[in-house]
């Protein structure tokens, strides 16, 4: 016996709850779910970072580089880049000395 009900959005039938009903819609939902999981994972990874790690990532981004690109550099290039990042961090901390939220974003 088919189950059906009517809501403000239209009829609800038991076919809507069948595993293969609307396979293209479920494929789209699956893609959206995996993308949603990726976004959630990115956020969780970011939340686990220390304030200094976040600052370093932002500086790398401002220099047009990702962590993966940084890791591909030679040891000498990595050392030079680390010194540059350290200088930028010190400059930012000195510019903002005495202000709250230097290492933590307090704008929210």
């Amino acid at each position: 016996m088919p189950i059906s009900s009517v809501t403000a959005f239209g009829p609800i039938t038991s076919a809507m709850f069948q595993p293969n009903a609307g396979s293209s819609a479920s494929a789209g939902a699956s893609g959206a779910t995996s993308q949603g999981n990726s976004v959630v994972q990115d956020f969780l990874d970011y939340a686990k970072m220390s304030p200094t790690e976040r600052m370093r990532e932002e500086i790398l981004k401002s220099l047009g580089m990702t962590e993966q690109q940084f890791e591909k550099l030679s040891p000498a290039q990595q050392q030079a880049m680390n010194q540059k990042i350290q200088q930028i961090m010190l400059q930012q901390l000195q510019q903002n000395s005495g202000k709250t939220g230097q290492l933590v974003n307090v704008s929210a």
Side-chain angles (χ1 to χ4, degrees):
M1 174 165 133
I3 301 172
S4 66
S5 177
V6 177
T7 67
F9 300 106
I12 298 174
T13 64
S14 60
M16 293 179 175
F17 300 103
Q18 308 252 337
N20 293 329
S23 61
S24 63
S26 65
S30 173
T33 302
S34 66
Q35 183 180 7
N37 289 341
S38 172
V39 171
V40 169
Q41 188 59 48
D42 289 346
F43 171 75
L44 292 174
D45 291 343
Y46 183 79
K48 291 177 186 176
M49 296 170 80
S50 72
T52 306
E53 290 170 331
R54 292 178 193 162
M55 191 175 189
R56 181 180 186 278
E57 183 176 298
E58 290 299 318
I59 292 170
L60 270 176
K61 206 180 287 185
S62 73
L63 296 172
M65 185 174 286
T66 64
E67 188 64 37
Q68 291 78 19
Q69 291 169 327
F70 175 82
E71 290 172 1
K72 291 179 183 177
L73 297 175
S74 70
Q77 289 173 320
Q78 285 183 359
Q79 184 178 4
M81 186 62 73
N82 278 330
Q83 288 175 347
K84 187 172 186 171
I85 291 169
Q86 185 179 14
Q87 289 173 351
I88 294 171
M89 280 184 169
L90 288 173
Q91 287 173 355
Q92 288 180 356
L93 290 171
Q94 288 171 352
Q95 287 173 352
N96 297 324
S97 65
K99 295 181 183 178
T100 60
Q102 283 192 53
L103 294 177
V104 179
N105 184 354
V106 293
S107 62

